[in-house]
Amino acid sequence: MAKDWAKPFYRSAAWRKCRAAYAASVHHLCERCGEPGTEVHHKQELTPDNIHDPAVALAWGNLELLCHRCHDQ
């Protein structure tokens, strides 16, 4: 569950568009196990200091599509 300070970002049109495009680019498959992906994960964790930096929050190089099981690991 997103932290309260991050909820506006995760509800934003910019994030939704980025998330959808990224998932499509990897064919909606988990990048670790190949199962259907459900979570677009930030490799570098978002913080209150970097969440408004598009080079971190919206950069495809910082994203990974994972299934629920891999995301929980």
Side-chain angles (χ1 to χ4, degrees):
M1 187 74 168
K3 295 176 176 80
D4 287 339
W5 53 264
K7 287 180 181 179
F9 168 77
Y10 285 114
R11 290 186 196 123
S12 73
W15 170 245
R16 285 191 258 176
K17 181 178 177 182
C18 179
R19 179 187 67 207
Y22 183 80
S25 79
V26 295
H27 308 289
H28 300 279
L29 297 175
C30 177
E31 295 182 71
R32 294 187 188 171
C33 73
E35 294 295 317
T38 57
E39 307 285 334
V40 176
H41 170 75
H42 286 92
K43 295 175 190 176
Q44 178 184 344
E45 184 177 346
L46 295 183
T47 67
D49 293 327
N50 69 17
I51 197 165
H52 298 293
D53 180 354
V56 176
L58 300 175
W60 282 20
N62 190 36
L63 301 178
E64 181 178 28
L65 183 65
L66 302 174
C67 67
H68 185 71
R69 184 176 50 88
C70 288
H71 189 257
D72 283 349
Q73 290 178 349

